[in-house]
């Protein structure tokens, strides 16, 4: 009765390592944030970030999802383990949802 | 599976539901005029169709061709099995409807594969799209294949066997936090389509996401589905067929019977029975009992609708 999530820790570690090597220590990317989609839920559902932060969504469900904020950003369809990143350059509240499963909603607060 | 006679007594509805909880494969309906009755699950259904030939059609849904995750690594294979079941039916149905999610990711190859298998049934197929069929960048693959002669995003109607069939699209323009959506343009078309129809004309509405609210917490319902149902309320017999939730659910409200179909690809949990509506992993031995097709038999001059669910495997 449990849905399956795929978590490829090997890949995540590899990416983290690559980022550590390629980016200078002072990079703003140090503050970059992740949102995971697990069991049809954006986690964390609400995120407070600073201007310039890049948020990366990763779909860890067996079902495709999207990340859409009307007029602001729109991901392609994210299949299992696909990622979408967006850099927030303006302050404000960004309410977003999955256009396939509109009951899935989230919020990014940029200050 | 035999020995469940849903024929002609007052408890048939309870028996239908009882069967549905454990029967896995498909539905045979006999409609005319109104009260839904099931003829039985596949064996008895076959006997019943032979005994009482009426206009019969099949419903198939949620094939998710391209899905390859553990819940069913071979969705194309189980679709092929379902078509095999259809081809083995003693009475060839008049046509088939597919209530959406033909593909999993709207890829051209997925549409090609689905078409290759489904066409082996040699039946006319009337489609409506699921949200998984509208995922390509330009949202054109579904419409180029199946949208010819349709209105708007792909809605249409046709008549068969004295029944008026209406295919609706409720997977576009969904709003944050909301459910499925028909939209003003489609509702206006629907109202117009029904105008002047005799109230004794049996109506079958079919769409991907349930037109009634099954479980809003999982988005299982249609925001403006109630508007569509308003337009058909005055008709003597209305049948609403949906997919999307990958399980059989049925409800009767006045003259309206609501029915959802199984998937041919993977099961989903009962509302609230899991942390999400995602694919449900079951033992391999059990999978085929939770997939299936549905067929509907309209019998002229009889006040009954028979629903028979036919699992891929008992
Ligand atoms: Cu989603």
């Amino acid at each position: 009765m449990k849905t399956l999530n795929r978590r490829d820790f090997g890949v995540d570690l590899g990416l983290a390592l690559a980022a550590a090597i390629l980016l200078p220590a002072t990079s703003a990317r140090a503050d970059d944030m992740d949102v995971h989609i697990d069991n049809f839920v954006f986690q964390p559902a609400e995120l407070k970030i600073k201007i310039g932060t890049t948020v990366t969504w990763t779909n860890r469900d067996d079902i495709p999802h999207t990340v859409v904020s009307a007029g602001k950003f729109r991901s392609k369809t994210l299949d299992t383990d696909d990622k979408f990143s967006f850099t927030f350059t303006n302050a404000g509240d960004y309410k977003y949802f999955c256009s396939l499963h509109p009951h899935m909603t989230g919020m990014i607060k940029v200050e | 599976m035999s020995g469940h006679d849903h024929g002609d007594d007052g408890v048939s509805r309870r028996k239908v539901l009882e069967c549905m909880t454990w029967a896995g494969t498909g539905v045979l309906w006999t409609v005319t005029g109104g009260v839904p009755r099931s003829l039985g699950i596949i064996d008895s259904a076959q006997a019943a169709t032979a005994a009482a030939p009426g206009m019969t059609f099949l419903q198939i849904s949620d094939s998710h061709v391209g899905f390859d995750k553990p819940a069913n690594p071979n969705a194309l294979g189980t679709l092929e099995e379902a078509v095999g079941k259809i081809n083995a039916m003693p009475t060839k149905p008049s046509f088939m409807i597919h209530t959406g999610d033909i593909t999993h990711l709207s890829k051209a190859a997925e549409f090609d594969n689905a078409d290759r298998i489904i066409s082996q049934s040699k039946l006319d197929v009337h489609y409506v799209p699921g949200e998984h069929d509208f995922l390509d960048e330009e949202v054109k693959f579904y419409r180029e294949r199946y949208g010819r002669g349709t209105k708007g995003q792909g809605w249409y109607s046709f008549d068969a066997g004295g029944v008026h069939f209406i295919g609706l699209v409720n997977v576009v323009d969904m709003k944050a936090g909301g459910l499925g959506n028909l939209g003003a343009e489609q509702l206006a078309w629907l109202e117009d389509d029904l105008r002047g129809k005799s109230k004794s004309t049996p109506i079958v509405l079919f769409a991907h996401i349930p037109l009634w609210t099954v479980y809003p917490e999982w988005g299982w319902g249609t925001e403006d589905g109630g508007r569509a149902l308003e337009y058909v309320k005055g008709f003597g017999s209305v049948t609403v067929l949906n997919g999307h939730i990958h399980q059989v659910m049925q409800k009767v409200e006045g003259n309206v019977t609501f029915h959802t179909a199984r998937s041919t690809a993977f099961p989903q949990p009962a509302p609230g029975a899991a942390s999400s509506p995602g694919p449900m992993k079951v033992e391999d031995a059990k999978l085929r009992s939770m997939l299936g097709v549905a067929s509907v038999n309209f019998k002229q001059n009889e006040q009954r609708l028979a629903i028979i669910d036919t699992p891929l495997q008992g």
Side-chain angles (χ1 to χ4, degrees):
Chain A
M1 287 289 176
K2 199 173 172 298
T3 51
L4 298 160
N5 294 309
R6 319 188 95 217
R7 291 158 204 243
D8 194 338
F9 292 109
V11 169
D12 285 351
L13 273 177
L15 287 176
L17 200 61
I21 291 162
L22 292 170
L23 295 166
T26 53
S27 167
R29 292 187 68 88
D31 294 328
D32 289 350
M33 303 290 259
D34 290 318
V35 176
H36 290 133
I37 302 171
D38 280 312
N39 284 322
F40 291 62
V41 172
F42 293 109
Q43 293 174 322
E46 188 177 311
L47 207 54
K48 284 198 175 73
I49 59 170
K50 298 216 161 22
I51 287 177
T53 304
T54 298
V55 176
T56 299
W57 285 263
T58 305
N59 177 18
R60 304 202 294 201
D61 272 346
D62 277 355
I63 283 288
H65 296 292
T66 65
V67 183
V68 178
S69 184
K72 303 287 173 26
F73 54 84
R74 167 177 285 270
S75 76
K76 289 188 174 173
T77 303
L78 306 177
D79 197 4
T80 305
D81 294 334
D82 283 353
K83 293 171 191 295
F84 167 72
S85 295
F86 185 80
T87 302
F88 292 84
T89 52
N90 292 302
D93 287 353
Y94 296 77
K95 198 175 178 335
Y96 67 91
F97 77 120
C98 166
S99 62
L100 293 176
H101 311 104
H103 65 286
M104 295 170 58
T105 58
M107 168 77 90
I108 308 289
K109 287 177 173 289
V110 186
E111 47 198 31
Chain B
M1 294 274 151
S2 52
H4 280 254
D5 177 29
H6 305 297
D8 46 30
D9 60 52
V11 298
S12 62
R13 173 152 310 284
R14 187 181 56 75
K15 281 184 173 176
V16 170
L17 294 171
E18 191 180 284
C19 284
M20 283 170 180
T21 60
W22 58 271
T25 332
V27 192
L28 179 67
W29 312 56
T30 308
V31 169
T32 23
V35 184
R37 291 269 179 88
S38 166
L39 291 176
I41 301 184
I42 197 142
D43 300 336
S44 45
Q46 291 176 349
T49 34
M55 195 274 280
T56 308
F57 74 92
L58 274 158
Q59 179 187 5
I60 190 170
S61 201
D62 295 85
S63 304
H64 285 267
V65 168
F67 183 83
D68 59 1
K69 300 301 187 294
N72 180 1
N74 187 11
L76 188 63
T78 47
L79 173 63
E80 197 160 18
E81 285 178 41
V83 170
K85 279 264 175 202
I86 292 165
N87 287 339
M89 289 179 74
T91 310
K92 194 175 156 72
S94 298
F95 58 87
M96 176 152 74
I97 62 172
H98 192 302
T99 41
D101 285 354
I102 306 157
T103 67
H104 194 59
L105 290 165
S106 303
K107 292 178 175 165
E110 294 176 348
F111 280 113
D112 285 345
N113 285 335
D115 205 51
R116 179 168 52 82
I117 301 302
I118 292 171
S119 64
Q120 287 169 11
S121 71
K122 303 217 164 44
L123 291 170
D124 270 345
V125 189
H126 302 273
Y127 291 89
V128 284
E131 74 279 10
H132 287 260
D133 300 317
F134 274 2
L135 297 179
D136 47 316
E137 276 307 272
E138 296 168 62
V139 197
K140 63 174 191 179
F141 288 147
Y142 175 89
R143 273 179 279 182
E144 283 178 359
R145 264 166 209 273
Y146 308 114
R148 251 167 279 129
T150 65
K151 307 278 196 295
Q153 307 285 340
W155 52 84
Y156 59 97
S157 65
F158 64 96
D159 293 291
V163 179
H164 189 59
F165 290 83
I166 304 171
L168 300 176
V169 179
N170 56 2
V171 296
V172 287
D173 290 333
M174 295 197 272
K175 307 288 181 296
L179 308 170
N181 181 54
L182 293 162
E185 187 191 351
Q186 183 169 206
L187 285 166
W189 169 85
L190 176 63
E191 189 176 21
D192 194 51
D193 183 71
L194 290 165
R195 189 167 293 134
K197 286 257 169 332
S198 156
K199 297 295 186 221
S200 63
T201 309
I203 304 288
V204 172
L205 290 179
F206 60 104
H208 179 64
I209 299 175
L211 287 172
W212 45 299
T213 304
V214 173
Y215 194 61
E217 290 81 353
W218 286 354
W220 289 359
T222 301
E223 204 83 59
D224 49 6
R227 294 273 310 280
L229 298 171
E230 278 294 310
Y231 298 148
V232 295
K233 221 167 61 181
F235 287 82
S237 166
V238 179
T239 306
V240 179
L241 302 177
N242 301 118
H244 189 60
I245 68 171
H246 298 210
Q247 61 198 285
V248 171
M249 244 175 240
Q250 196 187 344
K251 177 176 88 147
V252 180
E253 238 180 63
N255 293 331
V256 185
T257 304
F258 300 86
H259 186 88
T260 59
R262 290 188 174 84
S263 162
T264 64
F266 57 85
Q268 284 177 211
S275 51
S276 83
M280 189 165 75
K281 178 82 181 101
V282 298
E283 291 166 52
D284 290 350
K286 207 183 160 201
L287 174 65
R288 281 162 183 76
S289 73
M290 304 186 79
L291 308 177
V293 300
S295 70
V296 183
N297 185 21
F298 285 85
K299 283 164 51 178
Q300 289 300 328
N301 310 316
E302 252 196 67
Q303 299 293 308
R304 45 193 254 166
L305 161 68
I307 303 167
I308 296 170
D309 277 310
T310 310
L312 287 184
Q313 180 187 295

